[in-house]
Short mmCIF file of all heavy atoms in Angstrom, two decimals:
data_model
loop_
_atom_site.label_atom_id
_atom_site.label_comp_id
_atom_site.label_asym_id
_atom_site.label_seq_id
_atom_site.Cartn_x
_atom_site.Cartn_y
_atom_site.Cartn_z
N THR J 23 2.12 -11.14 -21.80
CA THR J 23 1.16 -10.70 -22.81
C THR J 23 0.75 -9.26 -22.60
O THR J 23 0.74 -8.44 -23.52
CB THR J 23 -0.10 -11.61 -22.79
OG1 THR J 23 0.28 -12.95 -23.11
CG2 THR J 23 -1.13 -11.13 -23.77
N ARG J 24 0.40 -8.91 -21.36
CA ARG J 24 -0.17 -7.60 -21.05
C ARG J 24 0.74 -6.45 -21.45
O ARG J 24 0.29 -5.41 -21.97
CB ARG J 24 -0.50 -7.52 -19.55
CG ARG J 24 -1.26 -6.29 -19.14
CD ARG J 24 -1.47 -6.24 -17.64
NE ARG J 24 -0.23 -5.95 -16.92
CZ ARG J 24 0.41 -6.80 -16.14
NH1 ARG J 24 -0.05 -8.03 -15.99
NH2 ARG J 24 1.49 -6.45 -15.50
N LEU J 25 2.05 -6.61 -21.23
CA LEU J 25 2.97 -5.52 -21.51
C LEU J 25 3.12 -5.21 -22.99
O LEU J 25 3.67 -4.18 -23.35
CB LEU J 25 4.35 -5.81 -20.87
CG LEU J 25 4.39 -5.81 -19.36
CD1 LEU J 25 5.77 -6.21 -18.87
CD2 LEU J 25 3.99 -4.44 -18.80
N MET J 26 2.64 -6.11 -23.85
CA MET J 26 2.70 -5.88 -25.29
C MET J 26 1.41 -5.26 -25.83
O MET J 26 1.35 -4.86 -27.00
CB MET J 26 2.98 -7.17 -26.04
CG MET J 26 4.40 -7.68 -25.88
SD MET J 26 5.67 -6.47 -26.36
CE MET J 26 5.28 -6.22 -28.09
N LEU J 27 0.36 -5.17 -25.03
CA LEU J 27 -0.88 -4.57 -25.50
C LEU J 27 -0.72 -3.05 -25.59
O LEU J 27 -0.10 -2.43 -24.71
CB LEU J 27 -2.03 -4.92 -24.56
CG LEU J 27 -2.44 -6.39 -24.50
CD1 LEU J 27 -3.47 -6.62 -23.42
CD2 LEU J 27 -2.97 -6.85 -25.87
N PRO J 28 -1.23 -2.44 -26.64
CA PRO J 28 -1.11 -0.97 -26.79
C PRO J 28 -1.73 -0.26 -25.58
O PRO J 28 -2.72 -0.74 -25.02
CB PRO J 28 -1.89 -0.68 -28.08
CG PRO J 28 -1.90 -1.96 -28.83
CD PRO J 28 -1.94 -3.05 -27.77
N PRO J 29 -1.17 0.88 -25.18
CA PRO J 29 -1.74 1.64 -24.05
C PRO J 29 -3.22 1.91 -24.29
O PRO J 29 -3.63 2.26 -25.40
CB PRO J 29 -0.92 2.94 -24.06
CG PRO J 29 0.39 2.56 -24.72
CD PRO J 29 0.04 1.53 -25.74
N GLY J 30 -3.98 1.74 -23.22
CA GLY J 30 -5.42 2.00 -23.32
C GLY J 30 -6.23 0.83 -23.84
O GLY J 30 -7.47 0.95 -23.97
N THR J 31 -5.61 -0.31 -24.10
CA THR J 31 -6.34 -1.47 -24.58
C THR J 31 -7.38 -1.91 -23.55
O THR J 31 -7.08 -2.03 -22.37
CB THR J 31 -5.39 -2.65 -24.87
OG1 THR J 31 -4.48 -2.28 -25.91
CG2 THR J 31 -6.16 -3.87 -25.31
N ASP J 32 -8.60 -2.16 -24.01
CA ASP J 32 -9.64 -2.71 -23.18
C ASP J 32 -9.37 -4.22 -23.08
O ASP J 32 -9.65 -4.95 -24.05
CB ASP J 32 -11.00 -2.43 -23.80
CG ASP J 32 -12.17 -2.96 -22.96
OD1 ASP J 32 -11.94 -3.89 -22.13
OD2 ASP J 32 -13.30 -2.47 -23.14
N THR J 33 -8.84 -4.68 -21.98
CA THR J 33 -8.47 -6.10 -21.89
C THR J 33 -9.68 -7.01 -21.93
O THR J 33 -9.58 -8.16 -22.39
CB THR J 33 -7.64 -6.38 -20.63
OG1 THR J 33 -8.35 -5.93 -19.47
CG2 THR J 33 -6.30 -5.67 -20.69
N ASP J 34 -10.84 -6.55 -21.47
CA ASP J 34 -12.05 -7.36 -21.58
C ASP J 34 -12.42 -7.60 -23.02
O ASP J 34 -12.73 -8.73 -23.42
CB ASP J 34 -13.21 -6.68 -20.83
CG ASP J 34 -13.03 -6.70 -19.32
OD1 ASP J 34 -12.51 -7.70 -18.79
OD2 ASP J 34 -13.43 -5.72 -18.67
N ALA J 35 -12.37 -6.53 -23.83
CA ALA J 35 -12.66 -6.69 -25.25
C ALA J 35 -11.59 -7.54 -25.94
O ALA J 35 -11.91 -8.36 -26.81
CB ALA J 35 -12.74 -5.31 -25.91
N TRP J 36 -10.34 -7.37 -25.52
CA TRP J 36 -9.26 -8.15 -26.11
C TRP J 36 -9.45 -9.64 -25.82
O TRP J 36 -9.29 -10.50 -26.69
CB TRP J 36 -7.91 -7.66 -25.57
CG TRP J 36 -6.75 -8.42 -26.07
CD1 TRP J 36 -6.14 -8.31 -27.30
CD2 TRP J 36 -6.05 -9.45 -25.37
NE1 TRP J 36 -5.11 -9.19 -27.40
CE2 TRP J 36 -5.03 -9.91 -26.23
CE3 TRP J 36 -6.16 -10.01 -24.10
CZ2 TRP J 36 -4.14 -10.91 -25.85
CZ3 TRP J 36 -5.30 -11.02 -23.73
CH2 TRP J 36 -4.28 -11.46 -24.60
N LEU J 37 -9.81 -9.96 -24.58
CA LEU J 37 -10.06 -11.36 -24.24
C LEU J 37 -11.24 -11.94 -25.02
O LEU J 37 -11.23 -13.08 -25.45
CB LEU J 37 -10.29 -11.50 -22.74
CG LEU J 37 -9.06 -11.36 -21.84
CD1 LEU J 37 -9.46 -11.23 -20.39
CD2 LEU J 37 -8.10 -12.53 -22.02
N LEU J 38 -12.28 -11.11 -25.19
CA LEU J 38 -13.44 -11.58 -25.96
C LEU J 38 -13.07 -11.87 -27.41
O LEU J 38 -13.68 -12.72 -28.05
CB LEU J 38 -14.56 -10.53 -25.91
CG LEU J 38 -15.40 -10.48 -24.63
CD1 LEU J 38 -16.36 -9.30 -24.67
CD2 LEU J 38 -16.18 -11.79 -24.42
N SER J 39 -12.04 -11.19 -27.91
CA SER J 39 -11.58 -11.45 -29.28
C SER J 39 -10.71 -12.70 -29.38
O SER J 39 -10.23 -13.04 -30.46
CB SER J 39 -10.81 -10.24 -29.83
OG SER J 39 -9.48 -10.21 -29.29
N GLY J 40 -10.50 -13.34 -28.24
CA GLY J 40 -9.63 -14.51 -28.22
C GLY J 40 -8.16 -14.10 -28.35
O GLY J 40 -7.32 -14.95 -28.73
N GLY J 41 -7.86 -12.85 -28.00
CA GLY J 41 -6.48 -12.38 -28.10
C GLY J 41 -6.05 -12.03 -29.50
O GLY J 41 -4.85 -11.91 -29.76
N SER J 42 -7.00 -11.80 -30.38
CA SER J 42 -6.64 -11.53 -31.79
C SER J 42 -6.77 -10.05 -32.18
O SER J 42 -6.29 -9.69 -33.24
CB SER J 42 -7.55 -12.36 -32.70
OG SER J 42 -8.91 -12.00 -32.56
N ALA J 43 -7.40 -9.26 -31.35
CA ALA J 43 -7.61 -7.85 -31.71
C ALA J 43 -7.20 -6.94 -30.55
O ALA J 43 -8.03 -6.64 -29.69
CB ALA J 43 -9.06 -7.63 -32.09
N PRO J 44 -5.94 -6.52 -30.50
CA PRO J 44 -4.88 -6.80 -31.47
C PRO J 44 -4.17 -8.13 -31.14
O PRO J 44 -4.21 -8.61 -30.02
CB PRO J 44 -3.92 -5.63 -31.27
CG PRO J 44 -4.05 -5.31 -29.82
CD PRO J 44 -5.50 -5.55 -29.46
N ALA J 45 -3.50 -8.66 -32.16
CA ALA J 45 -2.67 -9.83 -31.95
C ALA J 45 -1.41 -9.42 -31.20
O ALA J 45 -0.94 -8.30 -31.34
CB ALA J 45 -2.30 -10.46 -33.29
N VAL J 46 -0.88 -10.36 -30.40
CA VAL J 46 0.33 -10.07 -29.61
C VAL J 46 1.48 -10.93 -30.12
O VAL J 46 1.34 -12.13 -30.29
CB VAL J 46 0.06 -10.36 -28.11
CG1 VAL J 46 1.35 -10.26 -27.31
CG2 VAL J 46 -0.97 -9.40 -27.56
N ASP J 47 2.61 -10.28 -30.34
CA ASP J 47 3.85 -10.97 -30.74
C ASP J 47 4.41 -11.65 -29.49
O ASP J 47 4.93 -10.98 -28.60
CB ASP J 47 4.83 -9.97 -31.34
CG ASP J 47 6.12 -10.60 -31.81
OD1 ASP J 47 6.53 -11.64 -31.27
OD2 ASP J 47 6.74 -10.03 -32.73
N ARG J 48 4.32 -12.98 -29.44
CA ARG J 48 4.71 -13.67 -28.20
C ARG J 48 6.19 -13.58 -27.93
O ARG J 48 6.61 -13.46 -26.77
CB ARG J 48 4.28 -15.15 -28.27
CG ARG J 48 2.78 -15.32 -28.13
CD ARG J 48 2.41 -16.76 -27.86
NE ARG J 48 0.98 -16.88 -27.63
CZ ARG J 48 0.39 -18.04 -27.31
NH1 ARG J 48 1.11 -19.14 -27.20
NH2 ARG J 48 -0.92 -18.08 -27.11
N ALA J 49 7.02 -13.61 -28.96
CA ALA J 49 8.45 -13.50 -28.75
C ALA J 49 8.81 -12.13 -28.18
O ALA J 49 9.62 -12.00 -27.27
CB ALA J 49 9.20 -13.76 -30.05
N ALA J 50 8.20 -11.09 -28.75
CA ALA J 50 8.44 -9.73 -28.25
C ALA J 50 7.90 -9.57 -26.84
O ALA J 50 8.50 -8.91 -25.99
CB ALA J 50 7.80 -8.70 -29.19
N GLY J 51 6.77 -10.21 -26.57
CA GLY J 51 6.18 -10.15 -25.22
C GLY J 51 7.06 -10.82 -24.20
O GLY J 51 7.23 -10.30 -23.08
N LEU J 52 7.67 -11.95 -24.57
CA LEU J 52 8.54 -12.63 -23.64
C LEU J 52 9.79 -11.80 -23.38
O LEU J 52 10.27 -11.70 -22.24
CB LEU J 52 8.93 -14.01 -24.18
CG LEU J 52 9.86 -14.85 -23.30
CD1 LEU J 52 9.26 -15.04 -21.92
CD2 LEU J 52 10.12 -16.20 -23.95
N ARG J 53 10.35 -11.18 -24.41
CA ARG J 53 11.54 -10.33 -24.22
C ARG J 53 11.22 -9.19 -23.26
O ARG J 53 11.99 -8.90 -22.35
CB ARG J 53 12.00 -9.79 -25.58
CG ARG J 53 13.23 -8.89 -25.47
CD ARG J 53 13.61 -8.30 -26.82
NE ARG J 53 14.76 -7.40 -26.73
CZ ARG J 53 16.00 -7.74 -27.08
NH1 ARG J 53 16.26 -8.95 -27.56
NH2 ARG J 53 16.97 -6.86 -26.94
N ARG J 54 10.08 -8.56 -23.44
CA ARG J 54 9.69 -7.44 -22.57
C ARG J 54 9.41 -7.95 -21.15
O ARG J 54 9.78 -7.28 -20.16
CB ARG J 54 8.46 -6.75 -23.16
CG ARG J 54 8.12 -5.46 -22.45
CD ARG J 54 7.08 -4.67 -23.24
NE ARG J 54 7.69 -4.01 -24.40
CZ ARG J 54 7.04 -3.17 -25.22
NH1 ARG J 54 5.74 -2.93 -25.01
NH2 ARG J 54 7.64 -2.61 -26.23
N ALA J 55 8.79 -9.12 -21.03
CA ALA J 55 8.49 -9.66 -19.70
C ALA J 55 9.79 -9.97 -18.94
O ALA J 55 9.88 -9.73 -17.73
CB ALA J 55 7.65 -10.92 -19.83
N ARG J 56 10.76 -10.52 -19.63
CA ARG J 56 12.04 -10.83 -18.99
C ARG J 56 12.72 -9.53 -18.50
O ARG J 56 13.29 -9.48 -17.39
CB ARG J 56 12.95 -11.59 -19.95
CG ARG J 56 12.51 -13.02 -20.20
CD ARG J 56 13.17 -13.61 -21.45
NE ARG J 56 14.61 -13.59 -21.39
CZ ARG J 56 15.38 -14.67 -21.18
NH1 ARG J 56 14.82 -15.85 -20.99
NH2 ARG J 56 16.70 -14.58 -21.16
N ALA J 57 12.65 -8.50 -19.30
CA ALA J 57 13.23 -7.21 -18.91
C ALA J 57 12.49 -6.63 -17.71
O ALA J 57 13.09 -6.08 -16.77
CB ALA J 57 13.18 -6.23 -20.09
#
């Protein structure tokens, strides 16, 4: 998940949004995580 967040994302704020702001593309996140 983390590697798909835009640079500079406040992860505390992102978690408070329930992971919706911004939303993360899970398929793209998995591809990047595997790489």
Side-chain angles (χ1 to χ4, degrees):
T23 298
R24 188 184 71 249
L25 292 177
M26 288 305 299
L27 293 174
T31 297
D32 181 339
T33 55
D34 289 324
W36 178 78
L37 286 168
L38 282 173
S39 77
S42 64
V46 172
D47 182 331
R48 287 194 176 183
L52 180 56
R53 181 183 178 101
R54 188 168 285 184
R56 288 163 58 106

